Amino acid sequence: MAGSPLSALDVAFLCLESETTPMHMGAVVTFTARGPVDPTALTAVLAQRAARLPKLRQRARAELFPPGSASWSDDPDFVAGNHIHHVVLSSLYEPDPLAAYASRWIARPLDTSRPLWDLTLVTGLPDGKFALLLKLHHALTDGAGAYAVAAGLLDGVELPKPAPSRPIPAPRSTLDTVKDALGTVWGQANEAAGIASSVVRAARPALSPVSAPPSAERRLGFVRLPLNELRRVRRAHGGTTNDVVLAVLSGALREWLVNRGQRADGRTLRALIPVSVRGRAGAQLGGNKLSGYLCDLPVGEDDPVERLRVVRRAMTRNKAAGPSRGAGALPLLADRVPPLLHRLGTRTAGQAAPMLFDLVITTVPVPPARLSLDGARLAEVYPFVPLAPRHAVGIAVATYRDAVHVGLQVNGEAVPDVGSLRDAVLKSTARLLDAS
């Protein structure tokens, strides 16, 4: 994989990186051990497995041509153990020591001159548990590809095999090759123009009600929702489990706005919902294969069942239109922009994110099979999406076994109490269940 180029979207994520906008995804994964945890042995297992994953050995290297581009190359100084750390927590000083530590951990940017990942083993947790805290830069992969990378650290997980090589096609004339290339460029240009037009029409002149000044401080919240209860709501009112989760989050954001002294009635909050366009054959590869939907969350609606109906209708329209058009396809547009333009203007353009959407809500796929690490059973997995510039809140969701795990990341200066948002998610869930 040495020398493989970064896509324009991968370069864009690197260009957005700053002290106040670290562009790494995160995950806090807890495990239940069968006996005492040996941190030295466990970190050795993790280092051995990480060393076998080619993507974790590579760093991004700037290239002279095309201007502004970059490629992945093996780090000659790579030692997996240098990316793996161990901390022991105590419950003496914090009511939730894991969340408190993870909040400080996720705020620290990755060193972009090294392979773009970091792993921390956390021991000292109650009930025989330990945790893994994993960072992967968004330039390295998207949420769907992140599992393929992280799964290589777990016990007995078979990663997807590379797609079989295709037969070499017969030689074609230079004229045919040029015509095909021009057709591709013309098609991409038309697609990009359509998306750009949609973005301009969707932009709102008013600032987002949940925008925030730049801050390097972050706070994390963990919410665990019973999957069977969300499915009960789905059976009663239709739609998908994801629709139900979006309705729950809409109610939580309504409650949160009211608690902050802000108006909720008659208002919507617009969520950018990333959509993977990664094919099955590319599931094991790095890089970003993303599009997205824009969904106006009905935070102005007090009736939880009506919120679900509104969300269902909005997501049905999005899916009918497809992930390759509309303002939500912003990642596709970014992938059509030359890397040099990202180098010159992406950080400035990123400051306009609140004019297009208020927050990101993403879903990270996790298979339902029982997962473990060195024999310890995986108990919970909380993903975290990076905060877009000037955003106060980002939400990531992962369903594993019998629970939906919601990872909340907030701007620590704008939202000093993430617990109020966490409690609002639980309250919103309870209201929707009562109405079902």
Side-chain angles (χ1 to χ4, degrees), residues 72-144:
W72 297 111
S73 62
D74 287 339
D75 182 358
D77 301 320
F78 175 76
V79 177
N82 292 343
H83 294 258
I84 301 174
H85 320 282
H86 171 233
V87 297
V88 182
L89 297 185
S90 168
S91 60
L92 295 178
Y93 307 107
E94 299 280 358
D96 189 348
L98 181 58
Y101 175 79
S103 298
R104 298 189 296 271
W105 161 84
I106 206 164
R108 295 193 290 269
L110 291 166
D111 182 352
T112 55
S113 68
R114 306 172 67 212
L116 296 172
W117 63 282
D118 178 89
L119 187 63
T120 298
L121 170 65
V122 178
T123 58
L125 303 181
D127 304 322
K129 287 187 175 181
F130 67 89
L132 283 187
L133 280 56
L134 175 64
K135 290 179 192 174
L136 293 170
H137 199 282
H138 220 324
L140 189 70
T141 188
D142 53 33

Side-chain angles (χ1 to χ4, degrees), residues 64 123 127 142 149 163 195 225 249 325 333 373 396 408 414 417 428:
L64 294 176
T123 58
D127 304 322
D142 53 33
V149 174
I195 297 171
L225 304 176
L249 295 176
R325 63 181 64 184
L333 177 61
L373 173 61
L408 307 171
D417 181 18
S428 176

Side-chain angles (χ1 to χ4, degrees), residues 193-217:
I195 297 171
S197 176
S198 298
V199 169
V200 171
R201 292 196 303 270
R204 305 159 298 175
L207 285 178
S208 163
V210 291
S211 62
S215 171
E217 187 177 353

Side-chain angles (χ1 to χ4, degrees), residues 31-274:
F31 296 84
T32 302
R34 293 177 295 183
V37 177
D38 182 344
T40 302
L42 194 50
T43 52
V45 168
L46 291 167
Q48 182 184 44
R49 294 177 181 179
R52 295 199 299 258
L53 299 174
K55 200 64 185 172
L56 298 187
R57 303 177 61 89
Q58 297 184 321
R59 61 182 180 182
R61 181 183 64 188
E63 298 289 353
L64 294 176
F65 189 83
S69 65
S71 65
W72 297 111
S73 62
D74 287 339
D75 182 358
D77 301 320
F78 175 76
V79 177
N82 292 343
H83 294 258
I84 301 174
H85 320 282
H86 171 233
V87 297
V88 182
L89 297 185
S90 168
S91 60
L92 295 178
Y93 307 107
E94 299 280 358
D96 189 348
L98 181 58
Y101 175 79
S103 298
R104 298 189 296 271
W105 161 84
I106 206 164
R108 295 193 290 269
L110 291 166
D111 182 352
T112 55
S113 68
R114 306 172 67 212
L116 296 172
W117 63 282
D118 178 89
L119 187 63
T120 298
L121 170 65
V122 178
T123 58
L125 303 181
D127 304 322
K129 287 187 175 181
F130 67 89
L132 283 187
L133 280 56
L134 175 64
K135 290 179 192 174
L136 293 170
H137 199 282
H138 220 324
L140 189 70
T141 188
D142 53 33
Y147 171 73
V149 174
L153 304 174
L154 302 177
D155 298 339
V157 175
E158 291 189 16
L159 299 182
K161 296 179 181 179
S165 58
R166 297 178 179 177
I168 299 175
R172 308 182 66 215
S173 70
T174 301
L175 179 59
D176 286 341
T177 301
V178 171
K179 286 169 63 178
D180 285 352
L182 289 175
T184 299
V185 171
W186 180 256
Q188 289 185 347
N190 283 338
E191 180 187 54
I195 297 171
S197 176
S198 298
V199 169
V200 171
R201 292 196 303 270
R204 305 159 298 175
L207 285 178
S208 163
V210 291
S211 62
S215 171
E217 187 177 353
R218 296 289 185 268
R219 298 188 191 280
L220 300 184
F222 311 144
V223 188
R224 187 179 186 277
L225 304 176
L227 180 59
N228 64 330
E229 294 186 349
L230 299 182
R231 286 176 171 168
R232 177 158 60 88
V233 174
R234 185 197 67 192
R235 288 193 296 270
H237 301 291
T240 67
T241 302
N242 190 55
D243 293 339
V244 176
V245 171
L246 288 175
V248 165
L249 295 176
S250 299
L253 290 165
R254 172 185 172 84
E255 177 83 10
W256 180 67
L257 284 175
V258 171
N259 290 341
R260 286 165 59 88
Q262 292 182 285
R263 178 178 60 84
D265 290 340
R267 168 170 277 168
T268 61
L269 289 182
R270 183 178 292 169
L272 173 63
I273 302 175

Side-chain angles (χ1 to χ4, degrees), residues 385-418:
V385 65
L387 290 185
R390 298 173 61 203
H391 276 193
V393 179
I395 302 176
V397 180
T399 299
Y400 176 65
R401 304 291 295 175
D402 60 350
V404 173
H405 300 90
V406 182
L408 307 171
Q409 180 171 189
V410 301
N411 177 315
E413 289 189 16
V415 188
D417 181 18
V418 71

